[in-house]
């Protein structure tokens, strides 16, 4: 797929997403504004686009029906960022180029907005115009990778072992849970909606390795200025990261090696998946991470 058509799907999703931002009308003076605070800011939308690219490859007529699912995954991802930034966790000041919710509003609001986005994401999936069987399977996958089988336990490990050096294998497991599982789950969800059961597990495993690359890139980003990356940086010095454990040069080398391995695997995909998902990953991820 060429650059123009790849952009078209991203634009289509962003337009859909902004038209359907969650609302919470009440006499609360700022809760609805807080609810939409990070969602109105353009983000990568990486995880929802993984879903849509796989669906587009195999069942393009289902792309519109998959939009609420993709939006639901983005809401859950955003909730995880809001909670990750809380004072009890990373205590970040900046996210997507704007103040974090607990800085712009207050900590209670940030916690409740996160809770609201999490549950709203599942509601969107449960009411998507897809078959009941597909919706149930998608909910099950997201519930696992976004909860006790993924993000929640990964975050618990990240916080508990802060200030205590982990072996590299345990660091990889931490980030498979915290970062990789949701990326892998998005690819699997795409295969479920796209009716490609034989690709569910291969894409999930690919996504775990993709998530590892994504995390190493994120660790390298922490070395950059806040205005460049749009979020608080310099927070990782007390955490277990690939940079703090391996050093920046070795972390870059590891990322280069992992990127090459993933590219080789993508070469073995069928033409439809290479055209849609493969070109998206080549253009989005692999070309924009060196510093």
């Amino acid at each position: 797929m060429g650059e123009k058509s790849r952009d078209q799907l991203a634009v289509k999703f962003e337009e859909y997403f902004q038209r359907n931002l969650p609302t919470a009308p009440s006499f609360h003076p700022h809760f609805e504004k807080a609810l939409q605070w990070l969602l109105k800011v353009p983000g990568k939308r990486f995880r929802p686009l993984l879903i849509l690219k796989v669906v587009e490859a195999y069942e393009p007529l289902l792309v519109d029906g998959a939009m609420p699912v993709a939006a639901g995954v983005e809401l859950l991802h955003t909730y995880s960022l809001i909670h990750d930034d809380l004072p009890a966790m990373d205590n970040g000041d900046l996210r997507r180029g704007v103040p974090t919710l607990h800085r712009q509003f207050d900590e209670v609001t940030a916690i409740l907005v996160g809770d609201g986005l999490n549950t709203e994401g599942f509601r969107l999936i449960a009411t998507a115009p897809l078959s009941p069987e597909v919706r149930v399977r998608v909910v099950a996958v997201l519930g696992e990778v976004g909860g006790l089988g993924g993000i929640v336990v990964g975050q618990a490990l990240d916080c508990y072992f802060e200030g205590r050096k982990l072996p590299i294998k345990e660091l990889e497991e931490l980030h498979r849970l915290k970062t990789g599982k949701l990326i892998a789950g998005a690819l699997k969800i795409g295969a479920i909606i796209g009716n490609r059961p034989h690709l569910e597990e291969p894409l999930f495993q690919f996504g775990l390795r993709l998530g590892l690359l994504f995390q190493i890139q994120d660790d390298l980003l922490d070395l950059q200025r806040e205005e460049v990356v749009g979020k608080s940086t310099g927070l990782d010095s007390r955490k277990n990261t690939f940079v703090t454990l391996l050093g920046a040069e070795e972390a870059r080398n590891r990322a280069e090696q992992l990127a090459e391995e993933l590219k080789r695997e993508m070469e073995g995909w069928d033409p439809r998946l290479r055209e849609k998902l493969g070109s998206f990953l080549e253009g989005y991820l692999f070309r924009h991470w060196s510093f």
Side-chain angles (χ1 to χ4, degrees):
M1 181 173 59
E3 187 75 20
K4 183 178 179 181
S5 56
R6 179 172 63 247
D7 289 344
Q8 284 177 343
L9 185 58
V11 169
K12 182 177 181 178
F13 174 71
E14 189 64 28
E15 290 174 347
Y16 171 87
F17 191 68
Q18 294 300 327
R19 285 197 310 268
N20 294 277
L21 291 176
T23 60
S26 75
F27 58 87
H28 193 289
H30 60 249
F31 187 80
E32 185 166 275
K33 181 179 179 181
L35 187 68
Q36 299 177 355
W37 179 251
L38 279 185
L39 303 178
K40 287 184 175 181
V41 181
K44 300 183 186 76
R45 316 299 190 213
F46 182 59
R47 292 149 190 84
L49 284 171
L50 291 178
I51 296 171
L52 296 174
K53 293 296 180 181
V54 178
V55 175
E56 186 183 40
Y58 297 112
E59 296 287 352
L61 295 179
L62 292 179
V63 166
D64 287 346
M67 287 284 176
V69 174
V73 170
E74 181 67 10
L75 293 190
L76 185 139
H77 171 59
T78 304
Y79 124 76
S80 75
L81 299 180
I82 292 168
H83 280 197
D84 192 43
D85 287 332
L86 288 171
M89 297 194 192
D90 281 357
N91 197 25
D93 296 322
L94 195 68
R95 175 68 68 175
R96 293 178 177 169
V98 299
T100 51
L101 257 75
H102 68 277
R103 295 289 186 230
Q104 180 67 24
F105 300 98
D106 54 74
E107 187 175 359
V108 170
T109 298
I111 292 170
L112 293 174
V113 164
D115 292 343
L117 293 179
N118 185 5
T119 52
E120 178 66 7
F122 283 100
R123 189 194 69 80
L124 289 180
I125 293 168
T127 57
L130 300 168
S131 72
E133 294 80 8
V134 166
R135 293 198 303 265
V136 168
R137 291 205 60 210
V138 170
V139 165
V141 170
L142 190 59
E144 177 184 356
V145 301
L148 300 182
I151 291 175
V152 173
V153 175
Q155 184 71 1
L157 289 168
D158 193 28
C159 292
Y160 183 80
F161 286 100
E162 186 175 312
R164 287 179 278 181
K165 189 174 181 180
L166 284 174
I168 190 66
K169 290 298 182 184
E170 291 187 355
L171 177 66
E172 289 178 354
E173 175 61 15
L174 185 162
H175 286 301
R176 266 193 292 272
L177 292 165
K178 185 180 176 183
T179 303
K181 283 287 191 79
L182 186 57
I183 289 172
L187 289 169
K188 184 173 182 177
I189 287 168
I192 291 171
I193 299 172
N195 193 28
R196 290 299 184 274
H198 65 286
L199 289 179
E200 291 176 21
E201 188 58 25
L203 283 179
F204 189 84
Q205 294 302 321
F206 177 88
L208 291 178
R209 296 189 293 278
L210 180 62
L212 197 58
L213 174 60
F214 198 92
Q215 185 59 52
I216 298 172
Q217 294 176 4
D218 194 63
D219 290 351
L220 289 165
L221 279 173
D222 194 64
L223 302 175
Q224 305 301 296
R225 302 191 311 276
E226 290 186 353
E227 61 269 24
V228 173
V229 299
K231 65 176 183 176
S232 297
T233 59
L235 302 176
D236 287 351
S237 60
R238 62 184 186 271
K239 286 183 169 289
N240 284 283
T241 74
F242 290 96
V243 172
T244 58
L245 264 65
L246 301 176
E249 182 176 359
E250 181 58 31
R252 289 190 186 95
N253 292 339
R254 195 177 186 92
E256 289 175 357
Q257 179 183 359
L258 189 53
E260 287 304 316
E261 291 173 0
L262 292 171
K263 287 180 185 179
R264 285 195 296 270
E265 184 170 344
M266 287 159 52
E267 289 170 1
W269 287 351
D270 70 68
R272 284 175 292 182
L273 195 61
R274 281 203 312 272
E275 182 189 2
K276 303 298 183 181
L277 179 62
S279 61
F280 167 67
L281 291 176
E282 285 278 0
Y284 174 81
L285 193 62
F286 297 134
R287 296 176 189 168
H288 301 293
W289 63 273
S290 56
F291 309 111

